[in-house]
Amino acid sequence: MRGETPILAPTSVLVKPAGPDCNLRCGYCFYRGKKDLFPAGSHRMPPLVLEQLVQQHLSQSAREVSFCWQGGEPTLMGLPFFERVVALEAQYGRGHVVGNALQTNAMLLDKPWAAFLKKYEFLVGVSLDGDAQVHDANRRDAGNDGSWSKVVENIKMLLDAGVATNVLAVVTQDSAGLAEETYHRLQELGLRHMQFIPIVQPDPATPDGVTRHTVRPEAYGTFLCQLFDRWMLDLEGPRRTSVRAFDALLAHYLGLEPPECTMQATCSSYLVVEHNGAVYPCDFFVDQQWELGNLTTTHLARLWRSPRRREFGALKAVLPGQCRDCRWLSVCHGGCPKDRLFGDTPRASYLCDGYRAFFNYAHDRLARLAAEERAPGAAATGGDPMVRQPATSLSPTPKVGRNAPCACGSNLKYKRCCGNR
């Protein structure tokens, strides 16, 4: 492929090298059921599939590309697998700036892992839902033991080793009332880049049609408002913290493309690659209906350009009248399609009322903040859809001016973003 003309393809891929396999048994996990799509037993990406993935992803014309290694639990592959990853990236990269992100439950990490992640500038996203009581309520191992203590121990190890470490916290109905407590607990652990994911899962057997973990719209709106208050208070102080949803909102107020796929007009940010090479348009739509093909038989770029992938991307814009007439349509674009659960099609997001309450609450302060933060000459480019991620490289990267737009895609000034680590 080295002699071929560079081709257009997605700049980001979300890779599941161990498929749905995981060493935890989280109560709210949506991906564990995906095992039914594959043969029984363990699921591991073969060396040939890995090489084809890296080769194809690095055969494109974009200078900056990223891999997000996720699961299931990607560290089940073992450290030698990821050593092979960076070797292949060095082999097939043609001057690319390669970003690697690892989303993990952190249970299997140790000092050799930390040294590797630091050396190759991986951004590590660790799943931690807050304090021990909140976290262990859902994130337990196969023996039904809580995972909080081990996760916190390994977060401290990563931070001590200088590994760029973010946190992903799931918001359930039970934890939605603990916004400030969760935010402060994560800060106390030294975590300054946070992402909060609301659980929305249908369950026809319940009176309200959703699982007990699902955060209700009013509760989620209150959670966002309380979290936003704390975030605003910390903006100018030594505890300044990045919250991905608020960074994305700020990008919108700056007139730029938000680096969060849920806030974009179409679902067209990345591709998902399963362990066997099967390719899908979204992490939440890994199913037979939306399998685009397999990279072992069809190049990633061709799958990206396929009518089926474009059809999926366009579905997000099919909205009911209440969305089309909403003053906040240009902000949320109807939210994530996975959250459109009830009513006649096209449907509104289950969380719509919560989002509207929050947008009304935060609007004036976001507008003022955008006026203060606007970076002269910022380019209107989107960021990585999976995790908040500074561009990293297998070779030295140029220094960035403190007032320049940050390379991570947040569209904030560098001094307000990754330069504030």
Side-chain angles (χ1 to χ4, degrees):
M1 280 206 175
R2 282 180 176 271
E4 295 181 1
T5 302
I7 50 181
L8 295 176
T11 58
S12 300
V13 289
L14 191 158
V15 189
K16 296 177 176 287
D21 296 357
C22 189
N23 52 335
L24 292 185
R25 302 294 182 268
C26 299
Y28 48 56
C29 180
F30 79 94
Y31 209 77
R32 188 166 60 243
K34 303 300 181 183
K35 66 181 184 299
D36 295 335
L37 294 171
F38 311 108
S42 62
H43 307 93
R44 302 292 184 268
M45 180 172 282
L48 180 59
V49 174
L50 173 63
E51 183 163 3
Q52 288 178 302
L53 164 64
V54 174
Q55 184 183 38
Q56 290 179 26
H57 194 39
L58 293 179
S59 67
Q60 60 177 288
S61 57
R63 181 175 179 269
E64 297 185 6
V65 297
S66 65
F67 297 83
C68 180
W69 307 93
Q70 200 195 59
E73 176 49 44
T75 61
L76 289 172
M77 297 300 296
L79 187 53
F81 173 86
F82 287 93
E83 292 171 337
R84 180 61 176 157
V85 165
V86 296
L88 288 169
E89 290 172 348
Q91 177 181 347
Y92 289 111
R94 294 180 282 188
H96 290 90
V97 177
V98 181
N100 281 295
L102 179 73
Q103 182 61 45
T104 176
N105 60 37
M107 295 292 287
L108 299 179
L109 299 183
D110 55 19
K111 289 185 177 179
W113 266 104
F116 169 84
L117 296 168
K118 171 62 176 175
K119 179 179 180 180
Y120 291 103
E121 299 181 292
F122 273 62
L123 176 69
V124 178
V126 176
S127 296
L128 183 72
D129 289 352
D131 65 20
Q133 183 177 359
V134 171
H135 179 91
D136 285 345
N138 292 298
R139 302 189 65 82
R140 309 183 76 83
D141 64 19
N144 202 36
D145 293 322
S147 60
W148 186 86
S149 295
K150 184 63 174 177
V151 174
V152 168
E153 175 187 334
N154 284 341
I155 286 175
K156 292 177 179 177
M157 176 192 66
L158 291 172
L159 293 174
D160 288 345
V163 177
T165 306
N166 297 354
V167 62
L168 188 153
V170 166
V171 183
T172 67
Q173 181 64 12
D174 291 336
S175 65
L178 301 170
E180 292 189 41
E181 294 89 340
T182 299
Y183 179 80
H184 286 311
R185 189 71 186 95
L186 298 176
Q187 280 188 327
E188 289 170 357
L189 293 171
L191 297 163
R192 292 291 183 270
H193 289 77
M194 305 177 187
Q195 183 178 4
F196 295 90
I197 303 295
I199 286 289
V200 178
Q201 296 171 331
D203 184 352
T206 63
D208 57 357
V210 292
T211 65
R212 66 179 181 86
H213 297 109
T214 294
V215 59
R216 274 52 176 182
E218 182 180 357
Y220 188 57
T222 301
F223 173 88
L224 289 174
C225 292
Q226 293 176 347
L227 189 68
F228 183 75
D229 286 343
R230 298 309 313 170
W231 179 75
M232 286 292 298
L233 285 173
D234 287 342
L235 276 181
E236 297 301 329
R239 292 168 64 88
R240 188 187 193 282
T241 299
S242 165
V243 174
R244 180 171 173 81
F246 303 154
D247 290 348
L249 269 173
L250 184 55
H252 168 79
Y253 277 79
L254 287 164
L256 303 167
E257 181 78 1
E260 174 113 358
C261 60
T262 59
M263 294 181 60
Q264 296 171 3
T266 62
C267 295
S268 57
S269 297
Y270 67 104
L271 290 177
V272 175
V273 180
E274 255 291 350
H275 70 287
N276 61 352
V279 177
Y280 304 86
C282 175
D283 188 27
F284 292 105
F285 291 87
V286 173
D287 52 43
Q288 291 181 342
Q289 177 186 0
W290 289 109
E291 183 175 345
L292 302 177
N294 195 295
L295 64 80
T296 61
T297 56
T298 308
H299 197 286
L300 271 177
R302 188 175 297 276
L303 295 173
W304 176 253
R305 298 193 302 268
S306 68
R308 188 65 170 154
R309 204 279 306 171
R310 293 197 298 270
E311 177 188 357
F312 177 85
L315 286 176
K316 187 178 184 184
V318 180
L319 295 167
Q322 71 181 76
C323 292
R324 295 194 303 271
D325 297 335
C326 180
R327 68 174 293 199
W328 304 115
L329 176 60
S330 66
V331 180
C332 74
H333 296 284
C336 183
K338 78 173 179 66
D339 296 335
R340 301 173 185 175
L341 300 183
F342 304 120
D344 297 330
T345 55
R347 298 166 175 167
S349 169
Y350 174 77
L351 296 173
C352 179
D353 288 345
Y355 280 123
R356 283 190 296 179
F358 168 63
F359 294 151
N360 278 307
Y361 183 80
H363 169 70
D364 289 344
R365 282 180 286 174
L366 281 168
R368 287 196 300 268
L369 184 61
E372 297 168 0
E373 292 283 329
R374 194 176 303 276
T381 56
D384 190 284
M386 283 80 76
V387 289
R388 182 177 170 74
Q389 177 173 343
T392 59
S393 176
L394 299 178
S395 59
T397 53
K399 293 184 177 180
V400 181
R402 285 179 56 76
N403 288 308
C406 190
C408 75
S410 69
N411 294 311
L412 298 177
K413 295 179 183 179
Y414 177 71
K415 69 180 180 182
R416 297 287 190 186
C417 192
C418 295
N420 194 47
R421 285 183 180 273

mmCIF file with all atom_site columns, all heavy atoms in Angstrom, residues 369-382:
data_model
loop_
_atom_site.group_PDB
_atom_site.id
_atom_site.type_symbol
_atom_site.label_atom_id
_atom_site.label_alt_id
_atom_site.label_comp_id
_atom_site.label_asym_id
_atom_site.label_entity_id
_atom_site.label_seq_id
_atom_site.pdbx_PDB_ins_code
_atom_site.Cartn_x
_atom_site.Cartn_y
_atom_site.Cartn_z
_atom_site.occupancy
_atom_site.B_iso_or_equiv
_atom_site.pdbx_formal_charge
_atom_site.auth_seq_id
_atom_site.auth_comp_id
_atom_site.auth_asym_id
_atom_site.auth_atom_id
_atom_site.pdbx_PDB_model_num
ATOM 1  N N   . LEU A 1 369 ? -18.698 33.338 28.225 1.00 0.00 ? 369 LEU A N   1
ATOM 2  C CA  . LEU A 1 369 ? -17.419 32.622 28.237 1.00 0.00 ? 369 LEU A CA  1
ATOM 3  C C   . LEU A 1 369 ? -16.841 32.534 26.833 1.00 0.00 ? 369 LEU A C   1
ATOM 4  O O   . LEU A 1 369 ? -15.624 32.691 26.638 1.00 0.00 ? 369 LEU A O   1
ATOM 5  C CB  . LEU A 1 369 ? -17.616 31.229 28.824 1.00 0.00 ? 369 LEU A CB  1
ATOM 6  C CG  . LEU A 1 369 ? -16.371 30.364 28.995 1.00 0.00 ? 369 LEU A CG  1
ATOM 7  C CD1 . LEU A 1 369 ? -15.376 31.029 29.937 1.00 0.00 ? 369 LEU A CD1 1
ATOM 8  C CD2 . LEU A 1 369 ? -16.757 28.985 29.529 1.00 0.00 ? 369 LEU A CD2 1
ATOM 9  N N   . ALA A 1 370 ? -17.679 32.289 25.848 1.00 0.00 ? 370 ALA A N   1
ATOM 10 C CA  . ALA A 1 370 ? -17.197 32.199 24.466 1.00 0.00 ? 370 ALA A CA  1
ATOM 11 C C   . ALA A 1 370 ? -16.575 33.513 24.025 1.00 0.00 ? 370 ALA A C   1
ATOM 12 O O   . ALA A 1 370 ? -15.546 33.525 23.334 1.00 0.00 ? 370 ALA A O   1
ATOM 13 C CB  . ALA A 1 370 ? -18.336 31.805 23.537 1.00 0.00 ? 370 ALA A CB  1
ATOM 14 N N   . ALA A 1 371 ? -17.185 34.626 24.418 1.00 0.00 ? 371 ALA A N   1
ATOM 15 C CA  . ALA A 1 371 ? -16.635 35.929 24.052 1.00 0.00 ? 371 ALA A CA  1
ATOM 16 C C   . ALA A 1 371 ? -15.257 36.136 24.661 1.00 0.00 ? 371 ALA A C   1
ATOM 17 O O   . ALA A 1 371 ? -14.370 36.725 24.041 1.00 0.00 ? 371 ALA A O   1
ATOM 18 C CB  . ALA A 1 371 ? -17.586 37.037 24.516 1.00 0.00 ? 371 ALA A CB  1
ATOM 19 N N   . GLU A 1 372 ? -15.041 35.609 25.880 1.00 0.00 ? 372 GLU A N   1
ATOM 20 C CA  . GLU A 1 372 ? -13.756 35.760 26.559 1.00 0.00 ? 372 GLU A CA  1
ATOM 21 C C   . GLU A 1 372 ? -12.712 34.785 26.029 1.00 0.00 ? 372 GLU A C   1
ATOM 22 O O   . GLU A 1 372 ? -11.516 35.090 25.991 1.00 0.00 ? 372 GLU A O   1
ATOM 23 C CB  . GLU A 1 372 ? -13.933 35.517 28.060 1.00 0.00 ? 372 GLU A CB  1
ATOM 24 C CG  . GLU A 1 372 ? -14.858 36.522 28.745 1.00 0.00 ? 372 GLU A CG  1
ATOM 25 C CD  . GLU A 1 372 ? -15.233 36.079 30.151 1.00 0.00 ? 372 GLU A CD  1
ATOM 26 O OE1 . GLU A 1 372 ? -14.766 34.995 30.582 1.00 0.00 ? 372 GLU A OE1 1
ATOM 27 O OE2 . GLU A 1 372 ? -15.992 36.802 30.825 1.00 0.00 ? 372 GLU A OE2 1
ATOM 28 N N   . GLU A 1 373 ? -13.158 33.607 25.622 1.00 0.00 ? 373 GLU A N   1
ATOM 29 C CA  . GLU A 1 373 ? -12.233 32.531 25.278 1.00 0.00 ? 373 GLU A CA  1
ATOM 30 C C   . GLU A 1 373 ? -11.896 32.456 23.793 1.00 0.00 ? 373 GLU A C   1
ATOM 31 O O   . GLU A 1 373 ? -11.009 31.696 23.412 1.00 0.00 ? 373 GLU A O   1
ATOM 32 C CB  . GLU A 1 373 ? -12.831 31.178 25.685 1.00 0.00 ? 373 GLU A CB  1
ATOM 33 C CG  . GLU A 1 373 ? -12.952 30.979 27.171 1.00 0.00 ? 373 GLU A CG  1
ATOM 34 C CD  . GLU A 1 373 ? -11.626 30.649 27.791 1.00 0.00 ? 373 GLU A CD  1
ATOM 35 O OE1 . GLU A 1 373 ? -10.787 30.029 27.119 1.00 0.00 ? 373 GLU A OE1 1
ATOM 36 O OE2 . GLU A 1 373 ? -11.412 31.016 28.951 1.00 0.00 ? 373 GLU A OE2 1
ATOM 37 N N   . ARG A 1 374 ? -12.603 33.191 22.975 1.00 0.00 ? 374 ARG A N   1
ATOM 38 C CA  . ARG A 1 374 ? -12.429 33.026 21.532 1.00 0.00 ? 374 ARG A CA  1
ATOM 39 C C   . ARG A 1 374 ? -10.967 33.164 21.136 1.00 0.00 ? 374 ARG A C   1
ATOM 40 O O   . ARG A 1 374 ? -10.295 34.126 21.466 1.00 0.00 ? 374 ARG A O   1
ATOM 41 C CB  . ARG A 1 374 ? -13.268 34.055 20.767 1.00 0.00 ? 374 ARG A CB  1
ATOM 42 C CG  . ARG A 1 374 ? -13.402 33.730 19.283 1.00 0.00 ? 374 ARG A CG  1
ATOM 43 C CD  . ARG A 1 374 ? -14.318 34.729 18.603 1.00 0.00 ? 374 ARG A CD  1
ATOM 44 N NE  . ARG A 1 374 ? -15.632 34.764 19.226 1.00 0.00 ? 374 ARG A NE  1
ATOM 45 C CZ  . ARG A 1 374 ? -16.605 33.903 18.927 1.00 0.00 ? 374 ARG A CZ  1
ATOM 46 N NH1 . ARG A 1 374 ? -16.386 32.957 18.041 1.00 0.00 ? 374 ARG A NH1 1
ATOM 47 N NH2 . ARG A 1 374 ? -17.765 33.994 19.513 1.00 0.00 ? 374 ARG A NH2 1
ATOM 48 N N   . ALA A 1 375 ? -10.469 32.149 20.431 1.00 0.00 ? 375 ALA A N   1
ATOM 49 C CA  . ALA A 1 375 ? -9.067  32.135 20.002 1.00 0.00 ? 375 ALA A CA  1
ATOM 50 C C   . ALA A 1 375 ? -8.977  32.706 18.598 1.00 0.00 ? 375 ALA A C   1
ATOM 51 O O   . ALA A 1 375 ? -9.542  32.145 17.666 1.00 0.00 ? 375 ALA A O   1
ATOM 52 C CB  . ALA A 1 375 ? -8.519  30.710 20.028 1.00 0.00 ? 375 ALA A CB  1
ATOM 53 N N   . PRO A 1 376 ? -8.248  33.803 18.385 1.00 0.00 ? 376 PRO A N   1
ATOM 54 C CA  . PRO A 1 376 ? -8.125  34.383 17.040 1.00 0.00 ? 376 PRO A CA  1
ATOM 55 C C   . PRO A 1 376 ? -7.565  33.360 16.056 1.00 0.00 ? 376 PRO A C   1
ATOM 56 O O   . PRO A 1 376 ? -6.578  32.679 16.337 1.00 0.00 ? 376 PRO A O   1
ATOM 57 C CB  . PRO A 1 376 ? -7.140  35.537 17.246 1.00 0.00 ? 376 PRO A CB  1
ATOM 58 C CG  . PRO A 1 376 ? -7.237  35.872 18.708 1.00 0.00 ? 376 PRO A CG  1
ATOM 59 C CD  . PRO A 1 376 ? -7.500  34.564 19.400 1.00 0.00 ? 376 PRO A CD  1
ATOM 60 N N   . GLY A 1 377 ? -8.249  33.227 14.937 1.00 0.00 ? 377 GLY A N   1
ATOM 61 C CA  . GLY A 1 377 ? -7.759  32.331 13.898 1.00 0.00 ? 377 GLY A CA  1
ATOM 62 C C   . GLY A 1 377 ? -8.062  30.873 14.127 1.00 0.00 ? 377 GLY A C   1
ATOM 63 O O   . GLY A 1 377 ? -7.538  30.012 13.430 1.00 0.00 ? 377 GLY A O   1
ATOM 64 N N   . ALA A 1 378 ? -8.928  30.555 15.114 1.00 0.00 ? 378 ALA A N   1
ATOM 65 C CA  . ALA A 1 378 ? -9.243  29.144 15.373 1.00 0.00 ? 378 ALA A CA  1
ATOM 66 C C   . ALA A 1 378 ? -9.924  28.542 14.151 1.00 0.00 ? 378 ALA A C   1
ATOM 67 O O   . ALA A 1 378 ? -10.810 29.130 13.550 1.00 0.00 ? 378 ALA A O   1
ATOM 68 C CB  . ALA A 1 378 ? -10.156 29.026 16.584 1.00 0.00 ? 378 ALA A CB  1
ATOM 69 N N   . ALA A 1 379 ? -9.486  27.349 13.798 1.00 0.00 ? 379 ALA A N   1
ATOM 70 C CA  . ALA A 1 379 ? -10.054 26.672 12.629 1.00 0.00 ? 379 ALA A CA  1
ATOM 71 C C   . ALA A 1 379 ? -11.295 25.897 13.035 1.00 0.00 ? 379 ALA A C   1
ATOM 72 O O   . ALA A 1 379 ? -11.339 25.279 14.079 1.00 0.00 ? 379 ALA A O   1
ATOM 73 C CB  . ALA A 1 379 ? -9.018  25.717 12.028 1.00 0.00 ? 379 ALA A CB  1
ATOM 74 N N   . ALA A 1 380 ? -12.311 25.931 12.201 1.00 0.00 ? 380 ALA A N   1
ATOM 75 C CA  . ALA A 1 380 ? -13.573 25.246 12.508 1.00 0.00 ? 380 ALA A CA  1
ATOM 76 C C   . ALA A 1 380 ? -13.462 23.781 12.138 1.00 0.00 ? 380 ALA A C   1
ATOM 77 O O   . ALA A 1 380 ? -13.977 23.320 11.127 1.00 0.00 ? 380 ALA A O   1
ATOM 78 C CB  . ALA A 1 380 ? -14.718 25.903 11.757 1.00 0.00 ? 380 ALA A CB  1
ATOM 79 N N   . THR A 1 381 ? -12.769 23.033 12.944 1.00 0.00 ? 381 THR A N   1
ATOM 80 C CA  . THR A 1 381 ? -12.586 21.606 12.690 1.00 0.00 ? 381 THR A CA  1
ATOM 81 C C   . THR A 1 381 ? -13.078 20.814 13.868 1.00 0.00 ? 381 THR A C   1
ATOM 82 O O   . THR A 1 381 ? -12.982 21.233 15.010 1.00 0.00 ? 381 THR A O   1
ATOM 83 C CB  . THR A 1 381 ? -11.104 21.263 12.460 1.00 0.00 ? 381 THR A CB  1
ATOM 84 O OG1 . THR A 1 381 ? -10.355 21.713 13.592 1.00 0.00 ? 381 THR A OG1 1
ATOM 85 C CG2 . THR A 1 381 ? -10.597 21.943 11.204 1.00 0.00 ? 381 THR A CG2 1
ATOM 86 N N   . GLY A 1 382 ? -13.607 19.636 13.607 1.00 0.00 ? 382 GLY A N   1
ATOM 87 C CA  . GLY A 1 382 ? -14.118 18.780 14.671 1.00 0.00 ? 382 GLY A CA  1
ATOM 88 C C   . GLY A 1 382 ? -13.009 17.988 15.303 1.00 0.00 ? 382 GLY A C   1
ATOM 89 O O   . GLY A 1 382 ? -11.906 17.860 14.780 1.00 0.00 ? 382 GLY A O   1
#
